[in-house]
Amino acid sequence: MKNKSTKMMKNKSAKSETQFPNLPDHLIVEQILPRLPVKSLIRFKSVSKYWLSTISSHKFAKLHLEFSSSNTRSLILQELYKSGKSYGYYLSFDECYNFKEFVKLEDKFPIFKLRNCYSTPDSTYVVDSYNGIVCMYNDQLRFYLWNPATNQCHNTYRPALGYERPDEVIGLGFGYISSLDDYRIGCVMICDKELWHVYVYSLRIGKWKETSCLNGDYYFPIDRGDFSVLVDDTLYWPPTVPRHENEKSYIVGLNLVSGKLKKTPLTVVLTGYDYAKVLGTKGYLSLCCVKYEKCSLCVYDVWMLKQHDDWNSWEKTFSINMKDTELFYSFETGKCLLSMETEDKFQIVLHDPSQVAALEQYEEGAFVWQGSKNSKFFRYFIGDAWGYVESLISPFGTTVSGE
């Protein structure tokens, strides 16, 4: 009887091992955990000390980012003329660009709070977003690095100016420098009404540094200094469009590695347009040049710099010509988002220049969101959008030990 019982226990144990095999730690850490959402991973930190140290490491955060960034299409939107009711909006798509979610930023991340920054929705502005880190600043020119998914917020304060406030802030930008594994903020301002001061903040070093100080002879024409794109470690701002026939046009760039500010002449790209936006499309610098026509008709011509070191290699990639339409975001894949207004409704439209020759040829499903003009949530959008992906990247920087 005893032998029979022992045999039954062994068979039961063998069957259990077959049904529930013990997976190797490296398989769990490298293939399973990185595919999970941030919210689940935060809970799993309490499973064991090993999981706590693993999930908390910068190495794992970067591995998780590789998986999450490959199948997520999320954006943070902010209106150009803020109503003071919201910090911004969260818009997301799946990997096939099907609409998923469109909510207020504080509703998506309900515990959202910038601690000790004295910021309100009408005085807090987004600079940019990279790898799950959102850079924001307030009216006091204090900068914050915020990870919405983990609700970590790092106050980087502001550049040590020696002044109460600069006379004018010319340009702001934020980006990730992959060669240095560092997140950096660029800030260009005028002080004493003559001197151009350039500051760069390094998250890895943890402080601001003045990289240039130029006198008034070095005029840098920037149309909108609160919006930029990062291409080849350089921030670019929208250029001013010439208003006179003999007026020259330039585009201004700040290299976040060297900290040097430079302006580069533009050829005939801006001729005949009213204003221009900057885009980062497929890793290339692009200009969205806008021209107003009669009866609320807007023409959007998108030019791409085909060779990074050849400023004469501009090539027009596509055009949009339609009434009451605003192009407000371009994905890395080349697809772009448009806001459209009709007599009784507002729509967000996904446009694929490589597949559609004209907006009238949109197939069903291209209208990703639709709302009423009387809606209190969201009306016709004029503003900016930044790509966003949930991550475990810490806004407090990285450490080399333990990696």
Side-chain angles (χ1 to χ4, degrees):
M1 186 73 177
K2 184 177 180 181
N3 292 336
K4 185 177 181 181
S5 176
T6 303
K7 185 176 181 181
M8 289 177 62
M9 291 179 64
K10 287 183 178 180
N11 291 337
K12 186 177 181 180
S13 177
K15 184 177 180 181
S16 176
E17 289 179 3
T18 302
Q19 290 181 339
F20 305 102
N22 292 323
L23 297 176
D25 287 341
H26 73 88
L27 183 62
I28 296 175
V29 171
E30 296 174 6
Q31 296 296 329
I32 298 178
L33 291 181
R35 301 174 188 271
L36 299 179
V38 172
K39 188 175 182 180
S40 299
L41 291 171
I42 292 176
R43 292 201 308 267
F44 289 164
K45 285 184 177 182
S46 60
V47 171
S48 66
K49 290 183 178 180
Y50 173 70
W51 278 30
L52 173 63
S53 62
T54 298
I55 297 173
S56 302
S57 69
H58 181 60
K59 180 180 179 179
F60 179 82
K62 293 182 68 175
L63 179 62
H64 175 266
L65 181 64
E66 292 180 9
F67 284 93
S68 58
S69 60
S70 63
N71 56 14
T72 304
R73 305 285 186 272
S74 302
L75 303 175
I76 290 178
L77 281 66
Q78 194 168 70
E79 295 171 291
L80 188 59
Y81 307 104
K82 301 184 67 178
S83 61
K85 297 180 180 179
S86 175
Y87 286 91
Y89 299 88
Y90 174 86
L91 172 64
S92 65
F93 305 83
D94 63 16
E95 59 271 16
C96 297
Y97 291 93
N98 296 311
F99 171 76
K100 288 178 61 178
E101 190 176 11
F102 192 22
V103 295
K104 287 184 178 181
L105 196 59
E106 51 267 38
D107 292 338
K108 174 65 177 179
F109 306 103
I111 54 177
F112 167 57
K113 184 178 181 182
L114 297 178
R115 299 177 179 86
N116 303 321
C117 69
Y118 313 105
S119 294
T120 58
D122 60 345
S123 66
T124 306
Y125 311 93
V126 176
V127 179
D128 211 330
S129 171
Y130 277 88
N131 297 341
I133 302 297
V134 181
C135 180
M136 309 178 80
Y137 74 103
N138 62 12
D139 285 341
Q140 299 174 348
L141 203 61
R142 292 192 177 193
F143 292 86
Y144 301 87
L145 299 179
W146 173 49
N147 184 324
T150 62
N151 198 39
Q152 294 176 306
C153 184
H154 179 198
N155 185 349
T156 70
Y157 298 95
R158 66 178 189 177
L161 304 174
Y163 307 90
E164 287 297 322
R165 282 191 63 84
D167 296 328
E168 185 179 1
V169 178
I170 302 299
L172 302 171
F174 170 68
Y176 174 66
I177 310 301
S178 58
S179 61
L180 302 175
D181 192 19
D182 193 12
Y183 295 83
R184 296 193 172 187
I185 305 172
C187 183
V188 183
M189 61 192 73
I190 297 178
C191 300
D192 288 344
K193 297 182 180 180
E194 293 182 356
L195 299 178
W196 290 62
H197 294 265
V198 181
Y199 290 88
V200 174
Y201 176 84
S202 166
L203 180 59
R204 198 168 183 85
I205 298 175
K207 64 180 182 180
W208 288 92
K209 179 183 179 181
E210 183 174 12
T211 59
S212 299
C213 182
L214 308 171
N215 61 37
D217 295 335
Y218 293 89
Y219 172 68
F220 293 92
I222 296 175
D223 184 47
R224 275 194 60 199
D226 58 348
F227 186 84
S228 63
V229 296
L230 183 72
V231 179
D232 283 349
D233 299 339
T234 299
L235 294 172
Y236 292 99
W237 289 278
T240 57
V241 174
R243 302 303 177 189
H244 308 288
E245 184 177 351
N246 297 324
E247 186 179 353
K248 295 181 179 180
S249 59
Y250 300 88
I251 189 167
V252 178
L254 170 60
N255 188 289
L256 290 181
V257 177
S258 66
K260 300 300 181 183
L261 193 68
K262 68 175 183 178
K263 60 181 179 181
T264 304
L266 294 173
T267 52
V268 296
V269 178
L270 298 179
T271 304
Y273 295 103
D274 292 294
Y275 75 96
K277 300 179 178 182
V278 285
L279 304 172
T281 308
K282 299 181 180 180
Y284 292 89
L285 176 63
S286 296
L287 289 176
C288 177
C289 300
V290 186
K291 180 167 52 177
Y292 295 117
E293 302 286 356
K294 296 180 180 180
C295 302
S296 302
L297 187 67
C298 286
V299 177
Y300 293 86
D301 292 333
V302 177
W303 297 78
M304 180 184 290
L305 187 67
K306 288 295 187 176
Q307 299 180 31
H308 298 303
D309 55 350
D310 183 2
W311 288 92
N312 293 314
S313 64
W314 292 100
E315 180 179 309
K316 187 188 292 188
T317 55
F318 68 92
S319 296
I320 296 175
N321 189 338
M322 201 167 184
K323 184 179 180 181
D324 295 323
T325 302
E326 178 82 11
L327 190 157
F328 67 89
Y329 187 76
S330 175
F331 290 97
E332 282 292 329
T333 56
K335 294 181 173 64
C336 58
L337 288 176
L338 314 174
S339 61
M340 298 176 60
E341 185 180 22
T342 62
E343 293 182 359
D344 60 344
K345 57 190 175 183
F346 161 74
Q347 297 168 325
I348 293 179
V349 178
L350 179 66
H351 175 52
D352 188 348
S354 66
Q355 300 294 327
V356 184
L359 292 184
E360 290 79 5
Q361 298 177 10
Y362 276 131
E363 298 178 356
E364 184 178 356
F367 293 96
V368 297
W369 188 85
Q370 181 172 293
S372 169
K373 281 190 176 182
N374 297 323
S375 172
K376 295 181 179 180
F377 167 64
F378 198 82
R379 299 178 184 178
Y380 182 65
F381 180 72
I382 299 178
D384 301 313
W386 300 268
Y388 171 74
V389 58
E390 289 193 5
S391 80
L392 290 166
I393 300 295
S394 171
F396 294 96
T398 62
T399 57
V400 178
S401 61
E403 296 185 11

